[in-house]
Amino acid sequence: MSEADLTEYTAVIAGKKVPAAGWIDVLDPSNGRPFARVARCGEAEVADAVDAARYTYESVWRLAPVAERSGACRRIATAIRSARSELATLETLDTGKPLRQSLVDADVAARYFDFYAGVVEALGGETILHQADRFAFTLREPYGVCGHIIPWNYPLQIAARTVAPALAAGNCCVLKPAEDAPLTSLRLAEIVLEAGLPPGALNVVPGYGEEAGAALAAHPGVDRLAFTGSREIGEAVMSAAARNIVPVTLELGGKSPHIVLPDFDAARAVPLIVDSITEHAGQNCSAGSRLLVHRSVHEELVAELAAAFRALRVGPGIADPDMGPLISAKQRDRVLGYLAEGAGDGVLRAGGAVPEGEVYAGGFYVEPTILDHVKPWHRVFNEEIFGPVLCVSVFDELDEAVELAEHTTYGLAAGVWTSDVTTAHWLAQRLRVGQVFVNNYSAAGGVELPFGGYRRSGIGVEKGVEALREYTRCKTVTIHTPAPA
Ligand code: NAI
Ligand code: MG
């Protein structure tokens, strides 16, 4: 494909597509070939986007009645549903994930806008008992301009997850999608305009992290930041937020364990454990990437999982296989790097290599992999691999399982597999993680469910009613109410 054939995607600022000063090639992860190019925004575009958001916030959106904001969000949801198959195809080309997953992503994105359209109408402050001659109450006010930096694994879902509550609450947004998968965010910007949001309510500035991303994080005109991605960049974004004294939500992934007790239901657990680490090739913040299993059921379970892993069809996302490629050569090499050292002590039970065959040529594939007998001092036990790699460790006592679960510094999610309701409750309360799934594991979960990390998995909460509160600030008003003279 020559450069002239590549579809071009530009930034959307103040409701307009702006000419690009430079370009970034967008690669199809299933074959490594560029199929589009996207504007390479920098400080200047980010500054324009922040100005546009500020203008729209002060002149229109801050003053818009709640019914108007809610109605706009509902129209966005409807428009996303109408564009469902177009968005899903774009997402699959961009990220490599199986098409049916992208269709789910589009549906979930629509749900976010519907959900916050509803919830925002019930959002209010409180009256507070104070002094006899004072009437005290709180107001929930939007922050103003929100900056959102998102990753490439679930771009459409995460864009909707972070932008929907912000817009519903009355903020205006600047969204910086990942350079590896920016396209559905830019399509969302158009959809939002078509749905009748004022130009400037959602501005999208694609570009590299160290350019557009860093400029957005540091911009003094941004009143609130939200970041999803790696822990290293999370730290950088939080430092930038500190310099401007603005709040920041961080969603930094995890190393989430499944804890499997002897009385678990294998028929239910096996497919869900497989899914939890192979959905989008394991490139999922809440992937169930560790299996902590009781010695008495270890061999049988791992054998069953290995057979299931080997049976997975791997291929280009557009052909809707069980698992697609990783996002980039960089990510594939990162995963292979972990495997090269992890397999040294651990025992390889499935996968472990790049799949062979013509269909994989040029693509960023890694086989679904199981490493058994992984020890807490292995790097693969503690670090987020972000690939289709399940690390298995054995325990004898429940306390040991908890200790292993908490050996990493992350605390995003955990799966608990047992028929004993008391043990399940005890673990749910004991584990220092943001979400516990009992006899169940769903990474995306419902839009209604608050989602956030403990420990180094992040700060703040996304999704659910909680997230809407996070996009508003609390103002306290007291009025002197003396008895009439
Ligand atoms: P990253 O953290 O570099 O990228 C996430 C976003 O941050 C992208 O939009 C990127 O452009 C932006 N960014 C990068 N540098 C920035 C900077 N200096 N200032 C502001 N924004 C910046 O993640 P990357 O390098 O793509 O992936 C590396 C690892 O991060 C993965 O292997 C995985 O372990 C983790 N990760 C976790 C995610 C999650 O869902 N929590 C999502 C993506 C990656
Ligand atoms: Mg990076």
Side-chain angles (χ1 to χ4, degrees), residues 9 72 133 151 154 165 174 195-196 200 213 238 258 274 286 301 332 355 421 485:
Y9 291 82
D133 66 344
Y154 290 79
V174 179
M238 193 168 174
H258 293 282
V274 172
S286 44
L301 176 58
R332 178 201 53 205
V421 71

Side-chain angles (χ1 to χ4, degrees), residues 150-153 176 179 209 213 227 230 253 285 330-331 334 384:
I150 64 167
W152 40 260
N153 52 346
K176 208 300 280 176
E179 53 272 41
F227 171 82
S230 66
C285 49
K330 180 184 124 186
Q331 192 62 27
R334 175 186 161 110
E384 186 175 52

Side-chain angles (χ1 to χ4, degrees), residues 291-293 298 372-375 381 391-395 404:
L291 181 71
L292 311 178
V293 55
H298 162 256
D372 200 1
H373 296 292
V374 172
K375 300 292 189 302
F381 185 93
C391 296
V392 182
S393 312
V394 182
F395 68 86
L404 287 171

